[in-house]
Amino acid sequence: GQQVMQIPQYQHVQEGEDFTTYCNSSTTLSNIQWYKQRPGGHPVFLIQLVKSGEVKKQKRLTFQFGEAKKNSSLHITATQTTDVGTYFCAGPPGGSYIPTFGRGTSLIVHP
Amino acid sequence: DVKVTQSSRYLVKRTGEKVFLECVQDMDHENMFWYRQDPGLGLRLIYFSYDVKMKEKGDIPEGYSVSREKKERFSLILESASTNQTSMYLCASRPGTHYGYTFGSGTRLTVV
């Protein structure tokens, strides 16, 4: 079945440093979604990318969807302590409407 | 904002008990989902429903069943709770197939 891998599993950064998490699928995806889960919280939808090569920005967050629609990345510029949490990608394989979640990247920001 | 409400934040049940987890959404969403979240395993889909009275098995349906008698309510049932069902259970909904999920706050179930 489809697998969605995220790397790294954990990332420690100093406040102000940049952060990137990568998401790779074994199959072509219809779209890619990104979620953030704060410690003790629940996943919150951030964004969805649909088109090959698409890039979207939300303030300090930049999301990319690969040309082959099999990979994606989330980049945070100048991290803040409020960025702490686990970031999940999720995507349905082509022809499906149910996304498979990656296992997430936990971001720890040191002040 | 869409709200997905799960009836209990924490629940402790005994092995063999029948357990009901309730989820209600207030924005007329078509699709509803139940996931469990375990450390190191991420989010795993148990069951989902595209519409009232409809249900589909996810990746790990064994030991669970669901009910969707009304559009806004999706219930997860553990027929006979076991200790390996101790987990965080997350309900989610979405308006349709091309949208992201709105998750509830989760129910942390402990089976003793």
Side-chain angles (χ1 to χ4, degrees):
Chain A
Q2 182 204 18
Q3 289 189 334
V4 176
M5 309 296 291
Q6 273 188 263
I7 54 170
Q9 188 176 357
Y10 299 94
Q11 183 77 59
H12 289 255
V13 299
Q14 289 294 132
E15 191 173 15
E17 291 181 338
D18 292 357
F19 160 77
T20 304
T21 174
Y22 299 92
C23 179
N24 294 289
S25 171
S26 58
T27 61
T28 303
L29 302 171
S30 302
N31 60 66
I32 190 80
Q33 300 167 3
W34 285 92
Y35 295 80
K36 177 183 178 181
Q37 184 173 21
R38 294 180 185 275
H42 57 275
V44 174
F45 175 73
L46 295 176
I47 206 163
Q48 176 172 276
L49 305 175
V50 178
K51 298 177 183 175
S52 169
E54 190 170 10
V55 178
K56 286 189 176 180
K57 292 190 175 185
Q58 289 181 348
K59 298 183 180 178
R60 295 177 294 103
L61 278 63
T62 302
F63 305 84
Q64 293 189 341
F65 198 12
E67 293 290 342
K69 301 183 77 171
K70 293 180 73 173
N71 57 75
S72 181
S73 64
L74 158 60
H75 180 81
I76 302 177
T77 303
T79 54
Q80 301 175 357
T81 54
T82 53
D83 296 324
V84 164
T86 301
Y87 293 85
F88 293 96
C89 65
S96 168
Y97 298 114
I98 305 298
T100 299
F101 280 81
R103 295 191 179 183
T105 295
S106 293
L107 172 63
I108 300 102
V109 180
H110 299 278
Chain B
D1 281 352
V2 177
K3 196 164 183 183
V4 178
T5 303
Q6 293 185 232
S7 53
S8 304
R9 186 78 175 103
Y10 298 95
L11 212 53
V12 180
K13 295 292 182 181
R14 295 195 178 276
T15 302
E17 277 192 79
K18 192 168 186 176
V19 181
F20 294 85
L21 302 183
E22 306 288 345
C23 175
V24 177
Q25 49 94 3
D26 65 358
M27 283 297 289
D28 202 36
H29 281 182
E30 299 287 336
N31 305 164
M32 296 188 75
F33 303 80
W34 275 105
Y35 285 86
R36 63 179 284 177
Q37 184 175 30
D38 301 287
L41 296 178
L43 287 137
R44 293 182 290 167
L45 181 62
I46 305 172
Y47 266 97
F48 61 101
S49 169
Y50 280 127
D51 206 343
V52 179
K53 305 277 188 183
M54 295 178 66
K55 58 185 178 184
E56 300 281 347
K57 292 180 179 179
D59 300 318
I60 53 163
E62 296 79 18
Y64 304 94
S65 63
V66 289
S67 172
R68 194 166 180 203
E69 295 296 316
K70 293 186 177 181
K71 192 173 187 178
E72 66 270 18
R73 186 180 296 269
F74 193 34
S75 303
L76 179 70
I77 303 149
L78 285 66
E79 299 291 343
S80 177
S82 63
T83 54
N84 62 14
Q85 292 178 311
T86 292
S87 185
M88 170 67 83
Y89 289 88
L90 289 162
C91 176
S93 72
R94 65 182 185 187
T97 54
H98 299 293
Y99 295 85
Y101 292 149
T102 299
F103 283 90
S105 298
T107 295
R108 186 165 293 282
L109 172 68
T110 302
V111 183
V112 297

